[in-house]
Amino acid sequence: MTRFERLRLDGVTRQFAGVDALSELSLEIQRGEFIALLGPSGCGKSTALNCLAGLLPLTAGSIWRDDVRLDTLPPERRGFGMVFQNYALFPHMSVQKNVSFGLQMHGVTRAETRRRTTDAIRLVHLEEHATKLPGQLSGGQQQRVAIARAVVIEPSLVLMDEPLSNLDAKLRLEMRTEIRRLHQSLGLTTVYVTHDQEEALSLSDRLVVLRDGRVQQIGTPEEVHTRPANRHVADFMGYRNLLPGRASSGASLLLEPSGVRVKGTPVGSVNDGDPVVAAIRPEDIRLDGDREATVDVVEYQGREFTVEARTDDGLMLHLRTGTRLSVGDKVRVGFPPDRLLLFPAEAS
Amino acid sequence: MTATTVAIRHRLAERGVDRQMLLLVPATVFVVALFVYPFAYGIAVSLQPAEGGLLAAYQAFFADAYQRDTIGTTLAIALPAALLNVVASVPIAYRMRGRFRGKRLLTTILVVPITLGTVLTAEGLLNFLGPAGWFNRFLVTTGLTDAPVRLTNNYWGVFFSLVITGFPFAFLLVLSYLSGIDPSLERAAATLGAGWRQRFFRITLPLLAPGLATTFCLTFVLAFSVFPSAILVGDPSGSTRVISIAAYEAAYVRYDYAGASAAAIIMGAVELVVIAIVLGLRGLLYTGSTAGGKG
Ligand SMILES: Nc1ncnc2c1ncn2[C@@H]1O[C@H](COP(=O)(O)OP(=O)(O)OP(=O)(O)O)[C@@H](O)[C@H]1O
Ligand SMILES: [Mg+2]
């Protein structure tokens, strides 16, 4: 299979009926990278993946594998493997036949096909099920067949469209590890679509956050996690507390409606008097601060409690704490300035 | 309610018998009254010939080559016509399975012949393909042939008529079977390196085949009972003397009701044999779900 050093997407755009489903996606993927495409439902993740796979023609832009232009090639000539969101296993073929299909299409010899099929089935632990039809497998097993079928042809790029979205929580975690293990042991280059930020953070080397078809941020999991580029990314990355206010004297803001002054870290250009949004994660709010709040709701989360509290001046806050609180308790909250991010309010 | 009746109800429910089965009663009565009763009546009549033993009407049918050969004649028309209808529907429906502008119009044009009825179709065929029809006039005027080509009042007239009336049924059925096949299967095959030919023959056709068998049976049954077109655009005393004509003549020319019923029963039996063979072959195919997985 054609190896490459880098895959380049250059202003990839796709419209449906004149409306951009994906606009101007530019991205360079190095060999061996694990890229996650992350974003809420309808943001254009599948569109991006289908454009890469050649299942959707581009409206504008181009895709390059090293110096070869790819976006004019049909899917069967791109040499990418794809795991479909609904698996798309061939229902009339056994697991074995599903997996060997791609090898046969690539004209691999019979002996080699048999060997590689067996290896791939062993890799996803489905030896006992090799002769079953997809309809006789559980969801998790079907998903593993879909992965084996995509990677057995040793594609230069593997595309996965929310492959775990149909699985239960436990199996999701197991398969997540499995996918990362396969990526490393087979030396794959992977583009992985998900709307689950935790999945994206734990799997990927780099994250592409999309919203309404536009790239919001490209960065390592740490960068996106700790320094979201704008309030929408912050919202999506688990900054549950989004507090409206107005910037005043550089790095502080006056919270609305109370007018209380707090210190934060501006992201992007924030001028005095601008409307801003202050974002902070529940786990970053300190409980030894100087502002009094009353506990409204307590949810047990295993090791921690998620707490909803209201300050005296009417701010609603989401907190996390290891100590047991009950409704009506008083807590003293504080915002560490380096964890309270100030975003321009209007920026999209 | 006593414990035993509860136990009985449980046992029945386990075998799929419960009160909702009562909903099937009207349909069952309908089928018995309109199908089983006339069929049984027909058998009874065929076994009571005016003279001879129980099976005399059947013996007479098979002893007389003029009657017996109608089976072969009918099969020779109906089997190729049904086959052509199915085979021609597949590529057209395959091209039309996606969404595109004008699909509804094109479907309507392809399906309109259903509404024409056999007699109108026959009249059209005579006008178009008859010895003085447009087609032959075109051939003669352009000098492609010296004399008109004979395309009506023979085997071909009936064949064309069956294709015109049977194709829309086959097309609609095949189109609906095709749209039941998950389009992501072909896309998955494409990402695995399969060109369109391989995608069609390795993925779509195997999943479509059971539907094609069913479609074939239906169009075959339609074609096998051909009667009006065999007379109007065929050669009803020779090459298109089909079995329904034999039954008609027995009943209304010779007033031999036993013979007519025997011909009708034989007709049904031949159809059943063909359908049994086709469905038997269909049973060898994969007939499960055509979806690609969960979701
Ligand atoms: N065939 C189509 N025709 C018209 N609009 C489409 C089509 N496919 C997608 N869209 C639109 O493009 C946008 C992006 O769709 P896409 O399927 O890429 O979303 P997604 O990010 O994969 O969402 P999800 O997480 O729900 O799968 C959506 O607004 C959708 O309505
Ligand atoms: Mg999607």
Side-chain angles (χ1 to χ4, degrees):
Chain A
M1 196 57 51
T2 356
R3 290 270 156 230
F4 63 85
E5 284 311 313
R6 72 179 57 80
L7 192 88
R8 190 156 55 83
L9 284 79
D10 196 3
V12 171
T13 301
R14 169 69 206 201
Q15 298 182 334
F16 289 111
V19 180
D20 278 4
L22 181 71
S23 58
E24 306 268 339
L25 172 62
S26 294
L27 176 69
E28 226 179 69
I29 302 169
Q30 307 294 327
R31 191 168 96 193
E33 254 191 320
F34 197 118
I35 302 275
L37 288 184
L38 177 66
S41 184
C43 69
K45 305 182 295 287
S46 296
T47 306
L49 213 61
N50 286 326
C51 285
L52 253 173
L55 299 171
L56 267 183
L58 308 187
T59 309
S62 53
I63 301 172
W64 301 81
R65 179 174 62 206
D66 295 328
D67 297 321
V68 183
R69 184 162 182 173
L70 275 191
D71 54 286
T72 47
L73 292 181
E76 60 267 27
R77 307 224 354 244
R78 296 196 186 188
F80 296 166
M82 180 143 172
V83 180
F84 287 74
Q85 185 159 1
N86 68 350
Y87 312 148
L89 298 177
F90 308 132
H92 58 301
M93 295 187 193
S94 67
V95 169
Q96 227 158 16
K97 294 231 171 82
N98 262 283
V99 175
S100 61
F101 183 84
L103 295 171
Q104 286 171 5
M105 293 301 112
H106 285 91
V108 176
T109 63
R110 200 172 289 195
E112 167 126 17
T113 299
R114 199 165 324 122
R115 184 182 63 73
R116 279 166 69 175
T117 305
T118 317
D119 284 352
I121 292 176
R122 185 168 336 115
L123 205 63
V124 294
H125 311 299
L126 284 174
E127 295 96 325
E128 315 92 279
H129 305 287
T131 55
K132 285 191 185 169
L133 291 175
Q136 300 166 320
L137 300 177
S138 75
Q141 290 164 343
Q142 291 185 26
Q143 201 245 339
R144 283 182 276 165
V145 178
I147 293 177
R149 186 179 67 174
V151 300
V152 73
I153 55 173
E154 293 173 9
S156 55
L157 181 69
V158 183
L159 307 165
M160 300 197 186
D161 194 352
E162 308 204 30
L164 306 185
S165 59
N166 291 321
L167 307 183
D168 66 58
K170 182 171 175 300
L171 202 52
R172 269 172 101 109
L173 280 180
E174 277 172 31
M175 289 310 300
R176 199 200 276 179
T177 320
E178 195 89 337
I179 286 173
R180 183 72 216 191
R181 185 176 63 79
L182 281 177
H183 170 83
Q184 271 156 359
S185 63
L186 298 179
L188 301 173
T189 309
T190 308
V191 176
Y192 186 99
V193 160
T194 179
H195 60 254
D196 180 339
Q197 47 124 340
E198 214 180 297
E199 209 168 279
L201 288 173
S202 64
L203 277 173
S204 63
D205 301 319
R206 255 184 332 142
L207 269 158
V208 178
V209 186
L210 290 172
R211 177 174 172 267
D212 287 346
R214 289 178 188 284
V215 173
Q216 306 291 308
Q217 187 169 9
I218 300 181
T220 63
E222 293 78 20
E223 281 165 10
V224 177
H225 189 74
T226 54
R227 276 286 176 275
N230 61 43
R231 52 165 297 207
H232 300 292
V233 179
D235 190 12
F236 200 69
M237 295 310 297
Y239 286 72
R240 279 190 77 190
N241 298 296
L242 295 174
L243 315 171
R246 204 162 277 282
S248 85
S249 59
S252 64
L253 91 159
L254 303 173
L255 288 176
E256 280 170 348
S258 58
V260 172
R261 175 182 297 271
V262 288
K263 274 196 172 321
T265 309
V267 179
S269 70
V270 176
N271 298 317
D272 285 0
D274 282 356
V276 292
V277 171
I280 187 163
R281 293 173 185 282
E283 57 268 35
D284 288 338
I285 295 182
R286 289 201 328 251
L287 287 178
D288 53 359
D290 46 13
R291 194 161 319 220
E292 185 153 281
T294 315
V295 174
D296 266 358
V297 181
V298 181
E299 278 174 43
Y300 183 53
Q301 302 262 317
R303 276 171 51 200
E304 285 180 321
F305 296 89
T306 313
V307 176
E308 236 179 79
R310 191 180 296 276
T311 60
D312 296 340
D313 39 31
L315 273 181
M316 220 1 197
L317 296 173
H318 298 276
L319 323 167
R320 254 162 193 271
T321 167
T323 46
R324 175 177 282 282
L325 293 172
S326 22
V327 175
D329 285 355
K330 300 281 182 205
V331 289
R332 302 195 70 82
V333 296
F335 308 117
D338 60 327
R339 298 294 171 87
L340 187 77
L341 306 180
L342 308 186
F343 296 106
E346 272 109 3
S348 64
Chain B
M1 204 183 303
T2 66
T4 37
T5 58
V6 172
I8 289 171
R9 276 218 290 167
H10 275 284
R11 288 238 296 282
L12 287 177
E14 206 133 274
R15 287 168 178 73
V17 180
D18 59 24
R19 246 186 247 167
Q20 283 175 14
M21 297 241 325
L22 287 176
L23 295 174
L24 292 176
V25 168
T28 315
V29 169
F30 191 78
V31 167
V32 168
L34 271 101
F35 179 71
V36 177
Y37 172 73
F39 190 69
Y41 184 79
I43 292 181
V45 170
S46 77
L47 293 176
Q48 292 162 12
E51 48 200 70
L54 204 59
L55 294 175
Y58 292 92
Q59 279 157 356
F61 185 93
F62 285 106
D64 181 0
Y66 192 54
Q67 309 290 342
R68 189 178 58 217
D69 290 349
T70 57
I71 296 178
T73 306
T74 319
L75 284 175
I77 298 174
L79 284 175
L83 198 64
L84 179 71
N85 282 338
V86 174
V87 169
S89 305
V90 173
I92 299 174
Y94 188 65
R95 289 301 311 165
M96 287 182 61
R97 72 198 187 290
R99 254 181 296 163
F100 58 88
R101 187 177 290 228
K103 176 171 176 170
R104 193 174 297 182
L105 181 69
L106 191 53
T107 312
T108 312
I109 290 172
L110 287 171
V111 169
V112 151
I114 283 187
T115 61
L116 290 181
T118 5
V119 178
L120 213 56
T121 310
E123 199 175 300
L125 268 176
L126 288 173
N127 274 329
F128 184 66
L129 293 178
W134 303 335
F135 184 68
N136 269 316
R137 265 189 276 164
F138 169 79
L139 288 184
V140 173
T141 331
T142 53
L144 286 168
T145 54
D146 300 332
V149 184
R150 209 175 136 79
L151 290 170
T152 53
N153 299 106
N154 63 2
Y155 177 88
W156 292 109
V158 183
F159 185 82
F160 288 135
S161 155
L162 289 181
V163 169
I164 290 170
T165 46
F167 174 80
F169 283 102
F171 169 73
L172 280 184
L173 279 167
V174 172
L175 190 63
S176 76
Y177 279 116
L178 262 177
S179 54
I181 297 176
D182 185 349
S184 68
L185 295 179
E186 276 205 30
R187 302 207 269 152
T191 63
L192 291 167
W196 77 264
R197 213 181 291 268
Q198 290 156 322
R199 299 202 287 269
F200 177 76
F201 286 106
R202 304 276 311 258
I203 309 296
T204 308
L205 193 57
L207 292 173
L208 186 61
L212 295 184
T214 310
T215 309
F216 177 83
C217 286
L218 287 172
T219 45
F220 169 73
V221 168
L222 277 180
F224 197 79
S225 52
V226 54
F227 181 71
S229 52
I231 292 179
L232 295 171
V233 284
D235 169 20
S237 57
S239 62
T240 72
R241 196 180 127 79
V242 294
I243 193 163
S244 51
I245 294 180
Y248 172 83
E249 280 178 4
Y252 300 109
V253 179
R254 284 183 274 118
Y255 300 107
D256 172 11
Y257 291 121
S261 300
I265 300 296
I266 289 166
M267 185 171 158
V270 172
E271 285 179 341
L272 277 180
V273 168
V274 171
I275 291 172
I277 292 173
V278 174
L279 291 187
L281 293 174
R282 178 183 184 271
L284 302 177
L285 303 168
Y286 169 83
T287 51
S289 145
T290 48
K294 315 240 149 154

